Amino acid sequence: MEYNFRQIERKWQEHWVKNHAYRVSNNSSKPKCYVLDMFPYPSGAGLHVGHPLGYIASDIYARFKRLKGFNVLHPMGYDAFGLPAEQYALETGQHPAVTTEQNINSFRSQLDNIGFSFDWEREFRTSDPSYYKWTQYIFLQLFDSWYNRHAGKAERMETLVRIFEADGNAHHECPGDRQIRFNADTWNGYTYEEQQAVLMEYRLAYLAHAEVNWCPALGTVLANDEVINGVSERGGHPVIKKKMRQWFLRITEYADRLLEGLDKITFSEAMKDMQRNWIGKSQGAEIKFNVAGTLDSIVVYTTRPDTIFGVDFMVVAPEHELVERITTQEQSKAIAAYKEYVQSRSERERMAEVKQITGCFTGAYAVNPFDGRKIPVWISEYVLAGYGTGAIMAVPCGDQRDFNFARHFDIPVTNILGPAFNGEEANPTKEGKLYNSDFITGMEMKEAMDAVINKIESLGIGKKQINYRMRDAGFSRQRYWGEPFPIVFRNGVPEALPEDELPLELPHVENYRPGEEGEGPLANITEWVNLPADPGTSLRRETNTMPGYAGSSWYFLRYMDPHNNETFCDRKISDYWGQVDLYIGGTEHAVGHLLYSRMWTKALFDLGYIGFDEPYKKLVNQGMITGSSRLVYRVRGTNQYVSAGLKDKYETDELHVDVNIVDGVELDTAAFRAWRADYANAQFILEDGKYICGTLSEKMSKSKFNTVNPDMLVEKFGADTFRMYEMFLGPVEQSKPWETKGIEGVHRFLKKLWRLFMDEQKGLIVKSGEPTAEELKALHKTIRKIEEDTERLSYNTAVSAFMVCINELTDLKCHKKAVLEQILVLLAPYAPHISEELWQAIGNSGSILDATFPVFEGKYIVESTKEYPVSVNGKLRTTINISLDAGEEEVRQIALSNETVQKWVEGQQIKKVIFVKGKMINVVI
């Protein structure tokens, strides 16, 4: 009986679906294990072979833990809202709901073809009203919450109102505007509108006017990580800065807890560092510099207050509200021109370390609060309004960027470092004594920091301050395809939609163009925006929609309880499943998604909805599978194509060719001629009768013709082969090139496995009988290796171990059920279809999915003999297998009676035999 892999795989995939093999219960006495893949966005392009890498890794682990006796939750759904679908709709004229459905169907078909153990009965998509009802609900909980810094957690707004009514805000500094100060009488005297404006400055989900990344071509605001080099990541469209009313999440209130939480979870150190750097916690001081001749002052945040006497100029962000007020008439034209230039620059460009130095003098001077020295005030793109206070004190002798700026604009540099400053480059040292620094001259820098902070606090011109680089997360998109905000504006004041009116469904539209002034497309549906209201009352809906990460910030909770119509997840169920035990996904979501999801989880924990405050216990970032491109070489000006080994003899143009018409590196010339009309009459200059292509490792891309459809490989080699080959390529976390040619070796391995069970003429050849010591040794070596490697996701070495084991069992001619059925259980997570087929063929009842993982017994791999190297006068002459129990005299007799040893000692006097137990034998003559 031959290995008919496609028939076997279709058979078992249908059987598992029919029998709900992957249905998971929320009620089980087994220990739980929650295995999750990062929420996929199903694109129209479908999967290429790089995409399933993480899914296969998680599937193997989920199946393994099931065999180990765990109740395993392994769900899948779709991150279906977002910019790509809407942009595709704009380009093709199709509604995003239609294209999203098509893409999901295609995505699902490809996943099913590979044989994943997802519990599809828990599947959902973020664009379903039954799902985004709860996204809207959670948003309202954030809208109705503030962060109590004294308690270190989120609380309901009603508690804040009671505090204000009794004490004002003297003990609760306003996170949105620290200048807001009021007592109880003032609060109680505020109008409703004034009170709501103050509360907005405290809410975890809040409205504010802010400068955003506006992309006119896409008609939406983009997050910082969606803008690369001044253009949109999607489409490469120009991005400018624009002030708009936006929703934000006050994630900065959770900064310390987000940092502390990293110590409780298993992420790679590189990933933790990315998150720490994004949060960017630093300790320093805020200092106020008055602007000469005005009532204005510039507040700066600095981590080096000890360098205040080395301040030679100040730099204010071009967007800073003070710029217009302090700019002199003589400089106004130059400042306006410079600000226009900055509008076209992305934050990444502005912050990058580049040789280009730009800036413009405002004409204003700040005053050093200690020595009264006048300091010129400049604006420059490298200072951003949203970072710190939007202004810096520049110390050229201690900061290279400031030094370059000073040298470029001929600003004199003060030396506060003495001999530690050579005048040619800055010295950012934090060690040593200070010079030319008034009352801190001669002090060690670390000592001077505290001295300056104490002084500014006593003078009332500053204070000790902790700052964060991270800013509050923009939560608005001026797009159609997203969750509508459950907010209505009553006379301009935002109010929560009653929860019994959720979900607020996205209306169907035909026009996705933005509204006036860059509003979202929903602004064009006046009958939806404007609600019936009493005379004199305006009632309008929010026209922005939520960003793509809204639905993915909490989706792991919905998988636990996906059909609950009463709440987003029952507390008893979330208490059972708890944190995700293993989360697998790419590093592209390292900062945005993970930080937002961690913040939402902490907020829901604070408010009592769940019992844990970190969503993911362990995170593994899979590496990228890069494409292995194939190149042909066209002789310039001709229709001839020269093989790679001969190309240096000609002037050629290098062209990419479809990897699917290349066998390894050998081009199918007939297929090449048929591939595109341009190549129909191609002529070939061959080497050894073949056309050999060049190779290049680069990102998989349709434009490079180096994508490989997994469906094609599954059809040709089978899903089990494809799964194991993806894992065999290398460690899950590492990037590695794809090479289709190598898949044949894994396919041969599965055929070899099959032949231990089946003979093409005789059929089943498995028999009963007691395994030999050698067979048990091969089995238990493999049990230990596969268990250890699978637990730590070292799948490439596990696949190698399978290959070694099958080779050993083949050499031993092992066809015994007692050995082979345990091998099948080990293999089932990796190659479930062939394992299930052979499991049934050898007479087992029930599915292999519910088998018990074999138990390793060390006694079967204990060595009873040792192959000793035997030397004569220190030179290795032979090896002899000797029992480990043999004594010294017995070993001596065995060694001296060996034919090879006798040949070398013949006629010589034996002085002694040196025996080191377990290591070596040396005959001295």
Side-chain angles (χ1 to χ4, degrees):
M1 183 184 297
E2 66 174 339
Y3 174 37
N4 190 333
F5 53 86
R6 288 311 288 140
Q7 181 181 333
I8 289 168
E9 289 170 359
R10 291 190 184 100
K11 166 188 169 182
W12 288 110
Q13 286 172 7
E14 291 171 5
H15 175 85
W16 291 328
V17 170
K18 181 179 178 182
N19 290 277
H20 306 286
Y22 301 125
R23 177 185 286 167
V24 182
S25 172
N26 287 337
N27 297 299
S28 174
S29 59
K30 297 178 180 179
K32 70 91 183 181
C33 182
Y34 188 174
V35 182
L36 183 63
D37 299 284
M38 280 193 185
F39 222 10
Y41 190 96
S43 72
L47 296 175
H48 61 59
V49 292
H51 293 131
L53 177 69
Y55 303 151
I56 296 171
S58 68
D59 193 60
I60 290 172
Y61 192 80
R63 290 174 180 274
F64 166 70
K65 297 302 277 190
R66 177 171 175 169
L67 294 171
K68 293 286 286 182
F70 286 78
N71 186 33
V72 181
L73 177 57
H74 187 216
M76 177 56 74
Y78 306 103
D79 194 6
F81 269 141
L83 182 57
E86 185 165 346
Q87 196 59 27
Y88 187 69
L90 284 167
E91 293 165 1
T92 64
Q94 299 180 78
H95 196 280
V98 173
T99 57
T100 298
E101 184 67 26
Q102 292 170 348
N103 294 345
I104 285 174
N105 291 338
S106 173
F107 196 86
R108 171 69 187 270
S109 173
Q110 288 189 287
L111 291 179
D112 285 344
N113 208 22
I114 301 171
F116 292 113
S117 61
F118 297 127
D119 181 358
W120 285 110
E121 294 177 32
R122 294 173 182 259
E123 180 259 331
F124 55 77
R125 52 202 71 176
T126 55
S127 57
D128 286 343
S130 61
Y131 180 83
Y132 69 72
K133 167 185 178 177
W134 299 110
T135 305
Q136 293 173 335
Y137 174 85
I138 295 172
F139 171 82
L140 290 182
Q141 310 318 303
L142 298 175
F143 180 71
D144 188 39
S145 301
W146 66 292
Y147 196 84
N148 187 334
R149 294 176 180 176
H150 299 297
K153 65 174 188 174
E155 296 180 0
R156 294 295 182 181
M157 294 303 295
E158 63 183 8
T159 66
L160 185 63
V161 171
R162 289 200 295 268
I163 290 170
F164 289 170
E165 289 173 343
D167 296 317
N169 77 336
H171 304 296
H172 295 277
E173 182 182 63
C174 180
D177 182 354
R178 287 185 292 175
Q179 305 307 311
I180 293 178
R181 294 280 190 274
F182 55 85
N183 57 27
D185 290 339
T186 304
W187 169 261
N188 293 321
Y190 282 156
T191 64
Y192 170 76
E193 288 77 12
E194 288 171 333
Q195 288 183 342
Q196 292 304 310
V198 171
L199 293 176
M200 188 62 76
E201 300 293 330
Y202 283 84
R203 295 183 187 274
L204 286 182
Y206 68 94
L207 266 180
H209 280 83
E211 201 155 61
V212 295
N213 301 311
W214 170 250
C215 180
L218 295 178
T220 192
V221 168
L222 300 176
N224 289 332
D225 52 3
E226 295 173 318
V227 182
I228 299 175
N229 297 326
V231 298
S232 61
E233 184 179 34
R234 180 174 178 83
H237 303 293
V239 176
I240 62 173
K241 292 292 183 182
K242 182 175 182 177
K243 274 215 166 183
M244 297 181 71
R245 190 196 69 191
Q246 298 287 294
W247 285 98
F248 290 87
L249 299 183
R250 212 175 292 280
I251 192 172
T252 48
E253 291 294 280
Y254 281 91
D256 278 331
R257 283 174 63 186
L258 289 169
L259 285 171
E260 291 161 6
L262 292 173
D263 296 331
K264 300 187 293 184
I265 52 183
T266 308
F267 289 12
S268 70
E269 280 307 310
M271 173 63 68
K272 289 182 178 182
D273 284 344
M274 289 175 73
Q275 296 221 336
R276 290 187 187 108
N277 292 338
W278 188 266
I279 295 168
K281 182 177 181 178
S282 63
Q283 293 187 339
E286 277 192 358
I287 306 173
K288 184 169 67 174
F289 290 75
N290 292 326
V291 179
T294 75
L295 297 177
D296 289 309
S297 59
I298 299 172
V299 177
V300 302
Y301 170 77
T302 177
T303 59
R304 297 295 306 276
D306 55 306
T307 64
I308 192 164
F309 292 100
V311 178
D312 291 315
F313 61 98
M314 301 189 78
V315 184
V316 177
E319 309 87 356
H320 199 291
E321 60 182 11
L322 278 178
V323 173
E324 191 173 337
R325 294 208 300 269
I326 67 174
T327 298
T328 62
Q329 187 173 352
E330 294 81 5
Q331 289 297 111
S332 59
K333 192 171 182 180
I335 288 289
Y338 184 74
K339 288 175 71 173
E340 186 176 344
Y341 155 76
V342 173
Q343 283 280 314
S344 67
R345 303 275 283 167
S346 73
E347 286 193 6
R348 291 190 187 188
E349 288 175 308
R350 290 173 60 177
M351 294 297 287
E353 291 290 345
V354 293
K355 293 181 180 178
Q356 178 182 339
I357 299 170
T358 70
C360 189
F361 179 44
T362 64
Y365 290 86
V367 179
N368 188 305
F370 290 132
D371 62 13
R373 188 158 59 107
K374 287 191 173 181
I375 306 165
V377 180
W378 290 67
I379 64 171
S380 179
E381 61 180 322
Y382 78 88
V383 177
L384 304 175
Y387 283 88
T389 64
I392 67 164
M393 57 181 224
V395 183
C397 73
D399 182 278
Q400 191 61 42
R401 192 160 210 168
D402 295 345
F403 181 84
N404 294 343
F405 192 94
R407 174 165 283 189
H408 184 80
F409 290 108
D410 294 322
I411 301 172
V413 176
T414 301
N415 179 11
I416 59 169
L417 303 177
F421 176 58
N422 62 14
E424 296 301 318
E425 61 182 355
N427 182 354
T429 181
K430 295 181 181 178
E431 306 289 339
K433 288 183 169 60
L434 289 159
Y435 293 75
N436 302 319
S437 297
D438 200 270
F439 70 95
I440 54 173
T441 296
M443 279 191 187
E444 293 289 336
M445 290 177 173
K446 290 180 180 178
E447 179 188 358
M449 286 189 192
D450 290 333
V452 172
I453 290 173
N454 292 337
K455 189 76 169 177
I456 62 172
E457 287 184 336
S458 68
L459 294 173
I461 58 170
K463 63 178 180 177
K464 192 172 187 176
Q465 182 74 29
I466 293 175
N467 260 27
Y468 302 90
R469 184 182 297 115
M470 178 175 66
R471 290 173 293 169
D472 285 340
F475 201 67
S476 294
R477 294 294 183 268
Q478 289 65 47
R479 301 300 293 209
Y480 165 70
W481 193 237
E483 299 91 341
F485 281 94
I487 293 290
V488 293
F489 291 87
R490 187 180 304 275
N491 294 334
V493 178
E495 297 179 354
L497 196 70
E499 290 175 3
D500 60 7
E501 294 184 25
L502 300 180
L504 173 59
E505 294 199 26
L506 190 66
H508 184 89
V509 301
E510 298 298 337
N511 178 12
Y512 315 111
R513 293 294 174 188
E516 295 179 13
E517 298 301 315
E519 292 177 291
L522 292 178
N524 299 321
I525 316 173
T526 54
E527 66 276 14
W528 185 84
V529 174
N530 298 310
L531 297 172
D534 296 332
T537 300
S538 166
L539 207 57
R540 288 174 55 86
R541 285 197 172 110
E542 172 62 84
T543 59
N544 289 333
T545 52
M546 297 186 198
Y549 71 81
S552 64
S553 289
W554 71 280
Y555 74 110
F556 74 99
L557 292 168
R558 190 61 177 173
Y559 280 136
M560 300 177 185
D561 195 12
H563 308 299
N564 193 329
N565 295 320
E566 303 303 317
T567 185
F568 62 89
C569 183
D570 185 275
R571 176 63 190 264
K572 289 181 181 177
I573 293 175
S574 67
D575 283 347
Y576 170 69
W577 288 112
Q579 293 171 282
V580 174
D581 294 283
L582 177 64
Y583 195 33
I584 297 183
T587 55
E588 65 271 20
H589 303 296
V591 175
H593 160 64
L594 286 175
L595 280 175
Y596 303 144
S597 186
R598 292 179 63 214
M599 180 248 178
W600 282 49
T601 302
K602 291 179 188 300
L604 291 172
F605 170 77
D606 292 349
L607 298 174
Y609 289 102
I610 57 177
F612 48 92
D613 74 343
E614 283 288 346
Y616 315 113
K617 188 180 295 184
K618 180 177 180 178
L619 170 70
V620 172
N621 294 116
Q622 84 267 15
M624 180 187 295
I625 291 184
T626 56
S628 184
S629 299
R630 294 295 179 263
L631 308 170
V632 295
Y633 305 94
R634 182 172 59 199
V635 179
R636 194 160 296 165
T638 74
N639 201 27
Q640 289 185 309
Y641 295 83
V642 59
S643 187
L646 305 174
K647 69 181 177 65
D648 292 342
K649 298 178 180 180
Y650 303 84
E651 284 192 24
T652 61
D653 295 315
E654 186 179 273
L655 306 172
H656 283 76
V657 64
D658 188 348
V659 295
N660 296 294
I661 59 174
V662 182
D663 183 13
V665 292
E666 184 182 351
L667 179 69
D668 183 335
T669 54
F672 179 75
R673 290 190 179 105
W675 178 41
R676 303 175 79 176
D678 295 354
Y679 306 141
N681 300 313
Q683 299 173 356
F684 300 96
I685 302 172
L686 308 176
E687 50 183 314
D688 299 326
K690 299 177 181 178
Y691 188 96
I692 305 301
C693 294
T695 62
L696 182 65
S697 183
E698 53 191 342
K699 186 176 180 179
M700 281 197 176
S701 163
K702 282 192 171 183
S703 65
K704 307 295 185 186
F705 308 112
N706 62 359
T707 60
V708 179
N709 190 327
D711 292 350
M712 179 192 75
L713 295 175
V714 169
E715 188 62 36
K716 187 174 181 181
F717 298 103
D720 287 337
T721 296
F722 176 71
R723 289 165 62 99
M724 294 194 76
Y725 182 56
E726 287 251 327
M727 297 299 98
F728 187 55
L729 284 172
V732 172
E733 298 93 336
Q734 291 183 12
S735 293
K736 47 258 177 188
W738 176 265
E739 182 50 74
T740 299
K741 191 76 174 172
I743 199 171
E744 295 171 358
V746 176
H747 193 56
R748 286 194 296 271
F749 153 72
L750 288 178
K751 285 182 175 180
K752 198 168 191 177
L753 167 78
W754 182 266
R755 289 195 294 272
L756 287 175
F757 292 80
M758 298 287 181
D759 182 272
E760 288 191 13
Q761 279 74 42
K762 298 176 185 177
L764 186 68
I765 54 175
V766 176
K767 57 189 178 184
S768 59
E770 287 297 315
T772 66
E774 291 84 357
E775 290 167 345
L776 287 170
K777 181 179 177 181
L779 170 64
H780 282 272
K781 272 196 314 182
T782 307
I783 292 173
R784 180 172 66 177
K785 179 68 173 168
I786 299 305
E787 182 171 14
E788 291 175 353
D789 286 357
T790 307
E791 190 66 66
R792 63 172 185 260
L793 278 69
S794 183
Y795 298 141
N796 59 315
T797 55
V799 174
S800 295
F802 278 125
M803 292 176 173
V804 170
C805 176
I806 297 308
N807 284 339
E808 289 179 351
L809 294 179
T810 299
D811 291 342
L812 293 169
K813 296 182 173 56
C814 176
H815 303 291
K816 293 170 184 168
K817 180 178 179 181
V819 173
L820 295 182
E821 69 177 356
Q822 293 191 69
I823 295 295
L824 290 178
V825 179
L826 296 177
L827 186 66
Y830 293 79
H833 308 89
I834 191 173
S835 300
E836 184 77 273
E837 177 72 12
L838 294 173
W839 177 260
Q840 302 295 332
I842 60 178
N844 286 298
S845 60
S847 173
I848 196 170
L849 304 177
D850 299 313
T852 300
F853 197 86
V855 176
F856 167 70
E857 294 187 56
K859 64 183 180 181
Y860 293 119
I861 66 168
V862 173
E863 299 285 352
S864 59
T865 64
K866 164 73 179 175
E867 189 172 28
Y868 282 94
V870 182
S871 301
V872 178
N873 277 4
K875 291 186 178 180
L876 179 66
R877 298 304 184 187
T878 188
T879 58
I880 307 174
N881 250 320
I882 302 175
S883 169
L884 287 171
D885 297 329
E888 187 169 352
E889 184 55 36
E890 184 181 356
V891 170
R892 174 187 169 87
Q893 295 300 322
I894 292 171
L896 294 179
S897 62
N898 180 268
E899 290 182 9
T900 304
V901 174
Q902 287 178 349
K903 184 180 77 171
W904 287 101
V905 303
E906 187 177 2
Q908 306 292 323
Q909 180 185 354
I910 297 171
K911 290 187 175 181
K912 58 182 174 180
V913 176
I914 301 171
F915 169 54
V916 181
K917 190 174 180 65
K919 290 193 174 182
M920 52 79 73
I921 302 167
N922 184 29
V923 179
V924 182
I925 58 175

